[in-house]
Structure formats: structure tokens, C-alpha cells
């Protein structure tokens, strides 16, 4: 009886992987004469549609001393255009029964709206109007700059451990691409000027620097006609993209202590890793999961469960187009010794670099990836984001149908090689966060 159960479980696991390999997302794609790349995906399961537009611009495209502009423009894009008044974009979508949002990272800025499918023309009109005629004036610029500054105060400057990502980036990527995070610095926001903002909009918010995804309950021919109607007359910017230097690895360990308004000590260790398109990217992500994803991970099992020297711990990948970080974090108890935490983490990482990863560990990580990728494609927005991402960063929209397979093909040797290559002391930043009163002592 137990043997039969085991065989069934093995069959289920195998069929799950086979299903992932055979699960295809159908789509059509084409370019308008002005350079806008359009991707259409039809899903009639529900009478909803998502318009998701990605601009290939993020904080890495900002100039030194001008940080925060990509994120500032995420806010500016809701401040009105030629035919849409200030904040009316929200009203149009909400009155149509939809929802919307935007986000910015180091490499791209995106905006999406999901609404009943009979509102597709409204969504396209709104997006095309602000792509072509955004009101980048002094009033809107000053207003949104203050909004972003307040966001920075609340979410970063005055939040416990809120500076951790910017502190890691500035040290890991000193004088390199990704030296700063999208929120920017308060000094740069204070000194920002309207002329630079207008030029930023002209250079990057153009059809030839964007991909438009329409996913959901659509008719392909009708969607094509609407896209040409609303975007076809917009002019390309013909902006020459910046060239980015390769990430420099193994520059020597950087260690620092930050005394912050926190109650508990914490440790953040970041290793520089290659970008999304690198052959090691999948192996590095699986490696991070083996190290610190969940209660059965090596970090949690050793540091939290066995040694009980920390309250929480984990690891994840901050992936970017050109280079990123594998980040290990751990929050201690009030009287935890952070040197002991760092030593324990280092020992686990050294061990994974020299002793073989098990088949069970790798399979668990792959199963989690498979689940996450599959779950992400259960909504029209999830499909839209995936299609936009694969085009923006890989110029390969069809990657949506073999992404899982690429993870499943990673071997133990691939993971081991990634660990040996990137998890070196000379390739990391170590940040220790301590309560401010410790500094006084």
C-alpha cells in the first residue's frame, strides 16, 4: 500500500513538470511604424481586459545628481494630459469599474489598468494621451516632488531598517550602474529642476521605448485597430540608449555598522550577481532558495531552529537587467550578538560552496519556482506583466512558454558552480544594523 502511494506521488510530481512544459500562452505581437511594440493575448475566461504598458526606463537611466526622476515620473503620469485633467485618470478607471497602478524599478517603469472588457477603448485612449501630451509643468512637478519626498520620509528615512536597500546598493555598486535605488536622494529631489524633467519625459516616454500589452477578453482585429487609432500617430523619440559598463565583481568585502531607530539588531549580506540574461541567473535564484527560502532552508534550519541565535533569516535575489544582488538577511533577538550571526551565515554559505547541494533541495526549489511562475499566469495582469517583461529584457516574448523549463533544466553542478563563483567574501557587502542607543554606549 505504501509503495502504491509513493508511486502515485512520483507520478504526480512528474506530471506536474510535464504540464509546465506543455502549458502555452498564445499571443500575437507586432510593431507600429513609430516603434511601439504591441503584444495581444486573448483570454475569454472572464469579461475583463488589462492594458499594461512598460517603458524601458528606470533609475539606472538617471544621471548622477539627478536620482529619483524615474520614480518621480511614475507619479507625474497621473497629473493630467491634453485631454485628461489632473487626477482624472483615476476617476475614469474607477468609474468604469476598474483598477490601476504603476511601479518603478532600476530598469523599467510600468502602468496597468484592468477593467471590464467593453472599456478597452477608454484604457487605450488614456494611455496614449499621457504618452503623447503629458503636462510636465512647474505646478505638477513641484507638487509631485513633494509627494515623493514625503513617501521617502515615511517608507525609507523614518522606517526601521528602511535604508537597508539603498545602503547595500551604494556600497555594492559604488561608481557603477545601480549605485542608487529608485526613490533617489533627498538632496537630488530638492535640487531637481523642471527642464531636466521635461527632457526626461521627451527621451524615454515615447512609443519606441515602450511595449504595450493588451490581455484578456479581446478580439485581435478590433484590438489592432484601436491600437493603431490611438498610438499610431505618436512620434518616436529616437533616443540613443545609454551604454552600461559591466558589473565589477570581487572588489573586496565591505563591512559597515549602521545605528538606526530599531529595536532589534539585524544583519544584511549582499553578494553581487549577474543580470537577468546571464547563463547563471536561474542557478543563482535556485541557490538563494536553497539557502533561505522557507523553514526547511539551510539558513533557517541552522540559525533559527538549531542555534537559536536569530529570530528570522532568509535569502532572495534582487535581480536586475545588468547585475543584481543575492541578499541574505537575519534579524536577531534583543541581545543577539551580530558577529555570531555573521559568522554562522558565512559558515553556511562557505559550506554550500564546497559541499554538494542535494537532489531534494534542488527539487524543492524548482517546485516552488514552478508554482510561483504558474500562479503568476492565472490573471490577465500576470500574463501581461510576463509578456512585457520577456520582451523588454530579452526581446523574446515566447520565453513565457519555456521559462519554467529553463529552471527545471538547471543541474546540481550549475548551482554548485554559481555558489563557488559568486558567494565569495571579496564579492560581498556586510551591513549590521544596531539600535541607536548602542552607539551611545
Amino acid at each position: 500500500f505504501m509503495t502504491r502511494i509513493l508511486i502515485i506521488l512520483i507520478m504526480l510530481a512528474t506530471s506536474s513538470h510535464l504540464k509546465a512544459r506543455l502549458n502555452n500562452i498564445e499571443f500575437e505581437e507586432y510593431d507600429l511604424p513609430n516603434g511601439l511594440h504591441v503584444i495581444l493575448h486573448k483570454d475569454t475566461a472572464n469579461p475583463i481586459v488589462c492594458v499594461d504598458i512598460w517603458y524601458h526606463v528606470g533609475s539606472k537611466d538617471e544621471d548622477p545628481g539627478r536620482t529619483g526622476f524615474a520614480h518621480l515620473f511614475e507619479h507625474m503620469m497621473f497629473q493630467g494630459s491634453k485631454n485628461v485633467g489632473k487626477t482624472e485618470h483615476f476617476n475614469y478607471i474607477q468609474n468604469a469599474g476598474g483598477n490601476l497602478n504603476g511601479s518603478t524599478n532600476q530598469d523599467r517603469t510600468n502602468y496597468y489598468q484592468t477593467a471590464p472588457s467593453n472599456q478597452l477603448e477608454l484604457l487605450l485612449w488614456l494611455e496614449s494621451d499621457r504618452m503623447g501630451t503629458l503636462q510636465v509643468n512647474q505646478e505638477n512637478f513641484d507638487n509631485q516632488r513633494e509627494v515623493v519626498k514625503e513617501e521617502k520620509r515615511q517608507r525609507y528615512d523614518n522606517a526601521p531598517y528602511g535604508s537597508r536597500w539603498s545602503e547595500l546598493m551604494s556600497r555594492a555598486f559604488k561608481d557603477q550602474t545601480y549605485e542608487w535605488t529608485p526613490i533617489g536622494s533627498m538632496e537630488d529631489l530638492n535640487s531637481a529642476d523642471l527642464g531636466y524633467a521635461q527632457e526626461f519625459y521627451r527621451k524615454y516616454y515615447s512609443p519606441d521605448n515602450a511595449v504595450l500589452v493588451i490581455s484578456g477578453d479581446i478580439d485581435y482585429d478590433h484590438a489592432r485597430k484601436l491600437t493603431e487609432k490611438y498610438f499610431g500617430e505618436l512620434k518616436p523619440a529616437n533616443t540613443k540608449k545609454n551604454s552600461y559598463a559591466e558589473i565589477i565583481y570581487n572588489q573586496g568585502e565591505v563591512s559597515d555598522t549602521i545605528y538606526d531607530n530599531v529595536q532589534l539588531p539585524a544583519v544584511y549580506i549582499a553578494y553581487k550577481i549577474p543580470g537577468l540574461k546571464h547563463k547563471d541567473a536561474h542557478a543563482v535564484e535556485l541557490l538563494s532558495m536553497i539557502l533561505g527560502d522557507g523553514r526547511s532552508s539551510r539558513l533557517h534550519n541552522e540559525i533559527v531552529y538549531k542555534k537559536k541565535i536569530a529570530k528570522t533569516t532568509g535569502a532572495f535575489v534582487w535581480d536586475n537587467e545588468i547585475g543584481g544582488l543575492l541578499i541574505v538577511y537575519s534579524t536577531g533577538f534583543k541581545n543577539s550578538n551580530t558577529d555570531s550571526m555573521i559568522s554562522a551565515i558565512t559558515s553556511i554559505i562557505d559550506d554550500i560552496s564546497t559541499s554538494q547541494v542535494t537532489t531534494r533541495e534542488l527539487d524543492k526549489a524548482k517546485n516552488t519556482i514552478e508554482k510561483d511562475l504558474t500562479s503568476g499566469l492565472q490573471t490577465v495582469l500576470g500574463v501581461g506583466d510576463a509578456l512585457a517583461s520577456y520582451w523588454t529584457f530579452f526581446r523574446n516574448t515566447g520565453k513565457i512558454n519555456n521559462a519554467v523549463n529553463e529552471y527545471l533544466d538547471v543541474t546540481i553542478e550549475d548551482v554548485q558552480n554559481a555558489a563557488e563563483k559568486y558567494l565569495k567574501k571579496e564579492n560581498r557587502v556586510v551591513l549590521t544594523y544596531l539600535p541607536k542607543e548602542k552607539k551611545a554606549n
Side-chain angles (χ1 to χ4, degrees):
F1 178 71
M2 290 302 294
T3 303
R4 282 180 57 199
I5 292 178
L6 181 60
I7 291 173
I8 291 171
L9 289 174
I10 293 172
M11 290 175 63
L12 286 173
T14 305
S15 65
S16 171
H17 289 319
L18 289 174
K19 184 177 180 181
R21 292 171 185 264
L22 298 174
N23 182 29
N24 280 338
I25 300 291
E26 295 183 356
F27 59 88
E28 293 185 2
E29 59 183 330
Y30 57 95
D31 291 315
L32 293 183
N34 58 16
L36 179 66
H37 191 73
V38 182
I39 305 172
L40 308 177
H41 165 65
K42 184 175 182 177
D43 181 353
T44 59
N46 296 294
I48 58 174
V49 67
C50 176
V51 169
D52 192 4
I53 188 164
W54 283 39
Y55 293 92
H56 199 175
V57 57
S59 59
K60 81 170 185 297
D61 300 287
E62 300 160 350
D63 298 314
R66 304 283 194 172
T67 65
F69 267 85
H71 176 246
L72 175 60
F73 256 91
E74 180 196 326
H75 290 255
M76 286 286 292
M77 285 287 277
F78 294 96
Q79 293 306 296
S81 47
K82 181 178 179 181
N83 300 296
V84 181
K86 182 182 292 190
T87 73
E88 283 186 3
H89 196 112
F90 289 97
N91 295 337
Y92 274 115
I93 300 298
Q94 291 168 354
N95 290 338
N99 58 68
L100 71 164
N101 212 333
S103 66
T104 310
N105 67 18
Q106 274 88 348
D107 302 304
R108 61 95 187 120
T109 308
N110 86 310
Y111 306 89
Y112 70 84
Q113 294 93 178
T114 303
S117 53
N118 62 1
Q119 300 297 318
L120 174 60
E121 187 163 8
L122 169 67
L123 305 187
L124 294 176
W125 170 65
L126 288 168
E127 282 297 355
S128 66
D129 203 58
R130 63 180 176 179
M131 179 187 283
T133 66
L134 187 71
Q135 299 299 295
V136 189
N137 55 42
Q138 194 69 55
E139 179 187 356
N140 290 342
F141 179 69
D142 289 342
N143 175 270
Q144 291 309 300
R145 177 170 56 175
E146 292 306 311
V147 171
V148 171
K149 286 164 63 176
E150 185 58 29
E151 178 184 346
K152 186 179 187 320
R153 294 185 191 100
Q154 290 185 7
R155 296 180 57 188
Y156 301 91
D157 298 345
N158 298 323
Y161 317 104
S163 64
R164 61 197 183 281
W165 309 133
S166 60
E167 296 286 1
L168 286 174
M169 292 287 178
S170 65
R171 289 166 174 80
F173 297 110
K174 183 176 175 57
D175 299 324
Q176 300 176 61
T177 303
Y178 303 123
E179 185 176 1
W180 53 82
T181 54
I183 195 64
S185 74
M186 195 65 80
E187 293 76 17
D188 290 352
L189 289 169
N190 283 329
S191 64
D193 64 272
L194 178 64
Y196 186 84
Q198 292 171 333
E199 180 64 8
F200 192 90
Y201 172 67
R202 187 200 67 77
K203 287 174 61 176
Y204 298 115
Y205 277 79
S206 58
D208 52 333
N209 193 46
V211 55
L212 171 68
V213 182
I214 305 172
S215 59
D217 185 18
I218 61 172
D219 173 82
Y220 282 134
D221 289 339
H222 181 59
R224 274 180 177 265
K225 290 176 182 177
L226 290 178
T227 301
E228 291 165 3
K229 175 181 177 180
Y230 289 105
F231 290 89
E233 299 301 317
L234 299 181
K235 304 299 182 185
N238 298 313
T239 297
K240 184 179 179 180
K241 295 291 287 185
N242 295 336
S243 58
Y244 305 97
E246 300 238 346
I247 299 301
I248 305 172
Y249 301 97
N250 305 317
Q251 292 182 285
E253 183 182 63
V254 177
S255 297
D256 215 340
T257 300
I258 296 174
Y259 295 91
D260 198 5
N261 186 26
V262 298
Q263 297 296 314
L264 300 174
V267 170
Y268 296 90
I269 304 177
Y271 296 84
K272 282 194 278 192
I273 58 173
L276 291 168
K277 292 181 282 188
H278 195 277
K279 64 181 181 62
D280 293 334
H282 294 329
V284 169
E285 188 168 358
L286 291 166
L287 172 61
S288 75
M289 298 175 73
I290 292 168
L291 273 172
D293 182 44
R295 298 171 68 87
S296 63
S297 67
R298 292 195 181 191
L299 283 166
H300 188 277
N301 188 54
E302 186 69 22
I303 295 174
V304 176
Y305 181 69
K306 289 183 179 178
K307 293 188 175 179
K308 297 180 173 57
I309 59 174
K311 189 176 183 180
T312 62
T313 190
F316 67 94
V317 164
W318 185 317
D319 52 356
N320 293 317
E321 187 174 11
I322 298 170
L325 298 175
L326 189 160
I327 298 174
V328 177
Y329 63 90
S330 186
T331 304
F333 299 101
K334 198 166 185 66
N335 296 316
S336 290
N337 183 292
T338 52
D339 288 340
S340 297
M341 293 165 62
I342 294 169
S343 177
I345 291 170
T346 302
S347 177
I348 293 166
I349 288 173
D350 288 345
D351 182 65
I352 208 169
S353 298
T354 56
S355 63
Q356 189 163 330
V357 170
T358 67
T359 301
R360 182 177 181 181
E361 286 178 314
L362 184 56
D363 283 347
K364 174 180 175 289
K366 288 180 177 181
N367 287 338
T368 301
I369 287 283
E370 184 177 335
K371 173 185 69 68
D372 291 345
L373 289 178
T374 304
S375 298
L377 300 178
Q378 299 309 302
T379 67
V380 291
L381 173 59
V383 172
D385 269 343
L387 291 168
S389 176
Y390 293 132
W391 170 258
T392 299
F393 299 130
F394 299 93
R395 288 297 188 264
N396 180 8
T397 316
K399 194 175 178 70
I400 194 171
N401 290 320
N402 59 32
V404 172
N405 189 52
E406 292 176 1
Y407 282 100
L408 297 180
D409 289 340
V410 172
T411 66
I412 287 176
E413 290 72 24
D414 293 332
V415 176
Q416 211 72 52
N417 290 337
E420 293 172 7
K421 193 183 298 186
Y422 304 110
L423 300 188
K424 299 178 179 179
K425 285 185 180 179
E426 60 266 29
N427 191 44
R428 74 181 189 178
V429 173
V430 180
L431 283 187
T432 301
Y433 272 75
L434 294 175
K436 281 184 177 179
E437 60 264 23
K438 295 255 184 179
K439 187 175 185 179
N441 295 335

